[in-house]
């Protein structure tokens, strides 16, 4: 089967593991198409760690085939989707765990929240979605504490690998914040640590559905971090401040803890190999400096 690999996956060619996975994709795609009797379209162009293709089932229904590159942050994606069972998130129709393959509900019309709504409206939609996603983690999801400790042990190396491209004080403040946040955390719920406006799509079954979750189990205050730094909703100290305060007010969250978690994850996710993401560094500076 001929599969056009989107340029968004080209970065995987830089590692032996990534290159091997890309070479397996045509055969894996053909295997899943045969198993689930799918007619496939051209891949969606924006997926960064997975091959995602529109599909049509044998009975004519639309779906999405997702083949994920194995990595720790999305390892429990299907488990989260099963837990939500379609309430606020796309439905999981079938999966093949060994192949990291999932058959998912197709969102129609499928516009991203960033494209379809103004920032104030988008924030109201997040305030509706988040409480529906905050389910008790009845199964063994990786914990926020475990993830934060992972960031704490890898941050120095990432900083050195980047050529110390992030101001040192941000690394120090992040490490200090992790130590403080791990003392007396709030009750644990199911979180999506990559919930931003491009991972929410317009749909018919429910107005808005979350896609591509990266689940953790931890306190609610952490869950606003990706929304606070979401540049698609505006990138300035005032707008970051507004998102943080509005979300915490509407959802009855501890703003001080939410701000610290936003700083921690933004710095941890600012590193992309030996490069850094400039807008993440901007937001981290605003969160750490008191501008937010």
């Amino acid at each position: 089967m001929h599969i056009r690999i989107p340029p968004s996956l080209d970065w995987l060619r830089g590692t032996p593991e990534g290159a091997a996975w890309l070479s397996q994709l045509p055969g894996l795609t053909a295997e899943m198409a045969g198993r689930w009797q799918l007619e496939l379209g051209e891949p969606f162009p924006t997926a960064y760690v997975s091959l995602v293709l529109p599909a049509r089932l044998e009975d004519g229904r639309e779906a999405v085939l997702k083949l994920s590159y194995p990595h720790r942050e999305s390892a429990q994606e299907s488990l989260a989707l099963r837990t939500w069972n379609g309430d606020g998130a796309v439905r999981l129709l079938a999966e093949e765990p060994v192949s990291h393959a999932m058959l998912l509900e197709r969102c129609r019309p499928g516009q991203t929240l960033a494209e379809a709504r103004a920032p104030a409206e988008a924030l109201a939609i997040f305030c509706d979605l988040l409480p529906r996603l905050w389910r008790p983690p009845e199964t063994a999801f990786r914990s926020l504490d475990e993830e934060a400790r992972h960031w704490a042990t890898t941050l120095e190396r990432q900083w050195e690998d980047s050529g110390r491209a992030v101001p040192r004080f941000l690394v120090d403040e992040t490490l200090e914040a992790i130590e403080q946040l791990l003392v007396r955390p709030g009750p644990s719920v199911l979180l999506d640590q990559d919930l931003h406006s491009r991972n929410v799509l317009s749909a018919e079954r429910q107005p808005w559905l979350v896609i591509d979750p990266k689940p953790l189990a931890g306190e609610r205050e952490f869950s606003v971090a990706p929304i606070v730094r979401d540049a698609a909703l505006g990138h300035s100290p005032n707008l970051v401040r507004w998102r943080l305060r509005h979300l915490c007010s509407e959802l009855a969250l501890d703003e001080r803890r939410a701000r610290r978690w936003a700083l921690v994850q933004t710095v941890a996710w600012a590193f992309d190999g030996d490069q850094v993401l400039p807008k993440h560094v901007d937001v981290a500076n605003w969160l750490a400096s008191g501008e937010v």
Side-chain angles (χ1 to χ4, degrees), residues 150-182:
H150 168 77
W151 293 331
T153 58
T154 58
L155 197 53
E156 291 278 358
R157 176 182 53 78
Q158 290 180 303
W159 184 64
E160 292 288 352
D161 289 348
S162 74
R164 303 184 177 185
V166 172
R168 177 69 214 189
F169 85 95
L170 288 179
V171 175
D172 292 337
E173 289 209 21
T174 297
L175 294 172
E176 181 181 353
I178 290 173
E179 185 177 342
Q180 293 169 344
L181 286 163
L182 294 183

Side-chain angles (χ1 to χ4, degrees), residues 4-11 41-54 106 115:
R4 180 183 58 83
I5 305 298
S8 59
L9 294 178
D10 283 349
W11 68 276
E42 286 294 309
F44 294 107
T46 55
Y48 186 65
V49 288
S50 56
L51 182 69
V52 186
L53 307 100
R106 177 82 185 266
E115 296 168 326

Side-chain angles (χ1 to χ4, degrees), residues 157-280:
R157 176 182 53 78
Q158 290 180 303
W159 184 64
E160 292 288 352
D161 289 348
S162 74
R164 303 184 177 185
V166 172
R168 177 69 214 189
F169 85 95
L170 288 179
V171 175
D172 292 337
E173 289 209 21
T174 297
L175 294 172
E176 181 181 353
I178 290 173
E179 185 177 342
Q180 293 169 344
L181 286 163
L182 294 183
V183 178
R184 299 190 188 90
S188 188
V189 298
L190 180 53
L191 306 168
D192 176 3
Q193 66 168 325
D194 199 24
L195 181 59
H196 54 73
S197 59
R198 288 148 296 178
N199 275 346
V200 180
L201 300 184
S202 59
E204 294 175 338
R205 181 175 60 80
Q206 293 180 2
W208 299 98
L209 294 173
V210 172
I211 64 167
D212 196 26
K214 293 179 173 57
L216 291 173
E219 63 177 339
R220 291 170 174 83
E221 279 74 11
F222 173 83
S223 60
V224 303
I227 306 169
V228 167
R229 69 166 175 270
D230 187 353
L233 300 179
H235 187 67
S236 73
N238 284 341
L239 289 171
V240 169
R241 179 188 303 117
W242 167 67
R243 290 196 290 272
L244 176 66
R245 290 181 177 171
H246 184 80
L247 289 164
C248 290
S249 174
E250 291 296 310
L251 297 168
L253 301 175
D254 182 323
E255 185 177 326
R256 188 162 180 253
R257 293 187 70 84
R259 175 177 171 166
R260 284 179 170 174
W261 278 125
L263 170 66
V264 166
Q265 197 205 29
T266 298
V267 171
W269 282 28
F271 297 95
D272 185 12
D274 59 358
Q275 305 295 312
V276 296
L277 305 177
K279 289 185 177 180
H280 279 53

Side-chain angles (χ1 to χ4, degrees), residues 32 36 38 64-68 74 77-79 81 92-96 99-104 212-213:
M32 293 301 107
W36 290 324
L38 304 176
V64 169
L65 175 63
K66 182 174 184 178
L67 306 169
S68 295
S74 62
E77 178 177 353
S78 63
L79 182 58
L81 294 176
L92 177 67
L93 305 179
E95 66 173 318
E96 175 43 66
S99 301
H100 303 279
M102 292 182 290
L103 190 63
L104 303 169
D212 196 26

